[in-house]
């Protein structure tokens, strides 16, 4: 995302009195991690292993999380926290499933790594929101 978009997004967040201000770069890092996880999960689901359903669900959740972060107006702190929790939980499930195949599948290992990065990025946003509240 270019600097103008990040500035606009930061301005939107600052104007929302009910939503705690969170650093735009932190939000961008989370959106990037969600996008990377969505892609990794989509690729992993195509292997048709028993982790495929979790991967498809995780890809959908990451896409939804990313899109919700782009539409901050209309979000409340409670709804954003619930979304972050759901994304973390779905990434955890997918990561656990893919870790069962990680020794035999480089794709599953990559997917599990992307899930871990997404969970960490979502947790960082959640922590920042709680600190700013």
């Amino acid at each position: 995302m270019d600097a103008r978009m990040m500035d606009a997004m930061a301005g939107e967040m600052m104007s929302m009195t009910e939503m705690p201000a969170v650093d735009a770069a932190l939000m961008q890092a989370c959106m990037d991690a969600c996008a990377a996880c969505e892609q990794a999960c989509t690729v992993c689901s195509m292997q048709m292993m028993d982790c495929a359903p979790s991967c498809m669900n995780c890809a959908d959740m990451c896409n939804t999380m990313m899109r919700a972060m782009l539409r901050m107006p209309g979000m409340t702190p409670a709804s954003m926290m619930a979304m972050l929790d759901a994304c973390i939980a779905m990434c955890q499930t997918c990561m656990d499933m893919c870790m069962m195949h990680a020794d035999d599948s480089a794709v599953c290992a990559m997917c599990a790594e992307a899930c871990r990065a997404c969970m960490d990025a979502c947790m960082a946003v959640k922590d920042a929101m709680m600190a700013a509240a």
Side-chain angles (χ1 to χ4, degrees):
M1 187 179 308
D2 69 6
R4 290 181 305 161
M5 183 62 120
M6 284 183 67
D7 289 343
M9 193 170 82
E12 285 288 322
M13 285 189 301
M14 293 300 204
S15 69
M16 297 170 55
T17 56
E18 70 278 356
M19 186 69 77
V22 177
D23 179 50
L26 191 63
M27 296 285 284
Q28 180 60 49
C30 188
M31 286 186 279
D32 290 345
C34 286
C37 191
E38 177 188 15
Q39 291 173 1
C41 289
T42 299
V43 170
C44 193
S45 70
M46 291 180 199
Q47 295 185 111
M48 302 310 279
M49 297 175 122
D50 63 346
C51 59
S54 291
C55 291
M56 289 184 285
N57 289 337
C58 191
D60 288 345
M61 183 68 232
C62 289
N63 179 275
T64 301
M65 183 75 248
M66 181 176 52
R67 290 173 46 214
M69 292 177 94
L70 285 169
R71 292 189 303 256
M72 290 300 286
M75 294 296 287
T76 64
S79 61
M80 181 57 81
M81 288 290 195
M83 290 286 299
L84 289 164
D85 285 339
C87 194
I88 291 166
M90 194 75 258
C91 286
Q92 181 71 57
T93 299
C94 185
M95 184 183 77
D96 291 346
M97 291 295 294
C98 286
M99 285 304 293
M100 290 191 268
H101 311 117
D103 290 339
D104 300 320
S105 169
V107 174
C108 281
M110 173 210 50
C111 187
E113 200 172 301
C115 287
R116 167 57 68 197
C118 190
M119 286 189 312
D120 291 346
C122 287
M123 188 55 75
V125 170
K126 190 175 171 182
D127 290 345
M129 284 180 66
M130 289 190 305

